[in-house]
Amino acid sequence: MSTASQVATHTAPADPAHPAVGAAISLLDAYAPGDHFLATPGRTLLARGPRRHVPHDERPLTARVNATLAAAAAAGQESPVVIGAIPFDHTAPAALSVPESVRTAPALASDPLIALPATPPTTGTWEIRQVPEPEIYGKGVAAAVERMWRGEFSKVVLARTLELTSDAPVDLPAMLQRLARRDPSGYTFALPTAPGRTLIGASPELLVSRHGKQVVANPLAGSTPRSSDLAEDVRRAATLLESAKDLHEHAVVVDAVHQALAAHCTELTVPARPSLIRTATMWHLSTTVTGTLRFPDTSALELALALHPTPAVCGTPTQTARQVIAEMEPFDRDFFTGVVGWGNAEGDGDWVVTIRCAEAEERTLRLYAGAGVVAASEPEAETAETAAKFRTFLSAVGAEL
């Protein structure tokens, strides 16, 4: 049975070993602003039509999602799913809804047509404002390191933004095409978060997935920019695998994920050492954690909320790191370092860490990038890491920092 058939009834089952050529690309090509688009290594989803929005009230988010799915089913909707975004502060309003129709296809990476190049960005003028400026960001990193040496906390993830303004409206479909074709094995998304506003990105990091009793998490922490020179690129990857600073940062995140999932899973498997994954711009230390669900009614969304935020996007201890972020970052993260994904009434779903993203509205884009700061961090290196992470989006819109 195709994984696609588990999500919606609008697409006939397909054999994953022989995916229809163009099936996934057709959904990518069909995306229009206001749609929900989400591509994962397992499936591609395009949702549209009248929606039931998940309300924001005093009930836990999982209860509100379950109630919205149940109402859709009671109204006659077959196999409804919830899709959308949850902010960094998951007590803030989420942008989750149950769409009227969901079309599905195999993964983008399995579609041979994904190898065709996207149309290059048109030459335009982008006005770029850095918030904060690199020098100020570096001073913030140094201040955080000093506080760590005083024993206040052990890690914090500090972010900065680029505010891009164009003389023409943002072309979301073209941007999505370039993001998807550049890293087709990752998690590409374009999700409405408010009228006229879209969260768009290409994240490399799975927070958690649940399919039946099987649970998978793939924390990433510890990164280095890639190089266009093959020998240098390999050297950087090898150096990352042996970096004491990055291995420590990664171990902190994996331990937090392990502890959070242990309460929900049996037979939890955690590799002793990380491996490497790559995107077009970055190398990341990666660990794939797998387990078997202890209680069958625990949903993928419940697992995601138990994990979020991990030290990879916040820090440790979590509450202290949150406070440091609030004190030091001169902007609201909103949906950056939150969660995007989908889930169904049976509890299956995929939830992804919202990084390598931007919020688009009319003629503006706000790009986000962060770096994990530990006691061994150097301001120049962390500033360079955020600049490298910005390259994912800058290349998609034809802008340079």
Side-chain angles (χ1 to χ4, degrees):
M1 177 181 291
S2 165
T3 53
S5 65
Q6 301 170 12
V7 180
T9 59
H10 305 276
T11 301
D15 180 357
H18 303 283
V21 173
I25 291 299
S26 68
L27 298 189
L28 179 63
D29 290 345
Y31 166 79
D35 292 344
H36 289 77
F37 179 88
L38 176 65
T40 77
R43 76 200 71 224
T44 306
L45 297 90
L46 179 68
R48 58 172 49 144
R51 306 176 180 90
R52 293 176 181 269
H53 295 283
V54 175
H56 181 67
D57 56 38
E58 71 283 351
R59 293 173 296 168
L61 180 57
T62 51
R64 287 179 273 138
V65 166
N66 291 340
T68 308
L69 287 167
Q77 187 170 347
E78 188 176 354
S79 303
V81 301
V82 65
I83 188 169
I86 300 168
F88 174 62
D89 176 4
H90 58 70
T91 65
L96 295 171
S97 61
V98 177
E100 186 65 29
S101 67
V102 181
R103 297 166 58 192
T104 67
L108 282 175
S110 70
D111 193 326
L113 297 184
I114 196 66
L116 298 176
T119 303
T122 56
T123 302
T125 301
W126 287 97
E127 180 182 334
I128 301 178
R129 186 168 78 96
Q130 303 187 60
V131 181
E133 292 287 343
E135 297 79 9
I136 297 174
Y137 178 81
K139 290 178 180 178
V141 171
V145 168
E146 183 179 343
R147 292 175 66 177
M148 286 182 223
W149 282 109
R150 294 202 301 263
E152 294 184 34
F153 50 93
S154 56
K155 177 183 176 179
V156 67
V157 177
L158 294 180
R160 62 189 185 106
T161 72
L162 300 181
E163 296 179 355
L164 275 63
T165 305
S166 175
D167 52 7
V170 174
D171 189 341
L172 288 171
M175 191 185 309
L176 185 66
Q177 287 276 349
R178 288 189 284 270
L179 290 169
R181 292 177 186 273
R182 192 175 194 196
D183 284 310
S185 296
Y187 301 86
T188 305
F189 53 88
L191 304 166
T193 55
R197 185 179 299 173
T198 299
L199 179 68
I200 183 170
S203 174
E205 185 170 4
L206 172 69
L207 181 62
V208 68
S209 70
R210 196 214 94 163
H211 299 280
K213 291 185 177 181
Q214 300 308 304
V215 175
V216 179
N218 184 207
L220 307 182
S223 308
T224 194
R226 298 194 63 191
S227 172
S228 58
D229 178 82
L230 178 59
E232 173 61 16
D233 195 42
V234 171
R235 187 196 68 79
R236 291 183 184 184
T239 300
L240 180 61
L241 271 175
E242 300 300 326
S243 165
K245 177 256 184 188
D246 289 288
L247 288 170
H248 170 71
E249 180 183 344
H250 188 80
V252 169
V253 177
V254 172
D255 183 60
V257 170
H258 185 183
Q259 290 186 40
L261 289 181
H264 301 281
C265 296
T266 61
E267 304 173 18
L268 205 57
T269 300
V270 184
R273 284 186 60 85
S275 57
L276 286 172
I277 69 166
R278 65 175 183 255
T279 68
T281 59
M282 302 294 295
W283 285 104
H284 297 282
L285 292 178
S286 164
T287 295
T288 300
V289 179
T290 57
T292 302
L293 204 61
R294 188 185 304 274
F295 306 110
D297 59 346
T298 304
S299 69
L301 179 58
E302 288 178 82
L303 296 172
L305 294 177
L307 289 166
H308 173 68
T310 72
V313 297
C314 182
T316 187
T318 302
Q319 291 307 315
T320 304
R322 277 188 180 276
Q323 183 60 39
V324 174
I325 289 168
E327 293 170 1
M328 301 189 72
E329 292 183 355
F331 54 86
D332 186 343
R333 287 193 178 189
D334 205 2
F335 290 94
F336 172 61
T337 61
V339 186
V340 298
W342 73 273
N344 62 21
E346 289 71 44
D348 288 342
D350 300 301
W351 296 96
V352 179
V353 182
T354 315
I355 52 177
R356 310 295 189 277
C357 66
E359 289 192 283
E361 186 172 14
E362 298 181 351
R363 301 172 187 270
T364 65
L365 281 172
R366 167 166 263 183
L367 282 57
Y368 299 85
V373 180
V374 295
S377 291
E378 298 178 354
E380 296 81 5
E382 306 302 348
T383 305
E385 181 176 321
T386 57
K389 291 174 177 176
F390 280 133
R391 282 166 44 202
T392 297
F393 249 95
L394 292 174
S395 64
V397 299
E400 293 186 4
L401 187 59

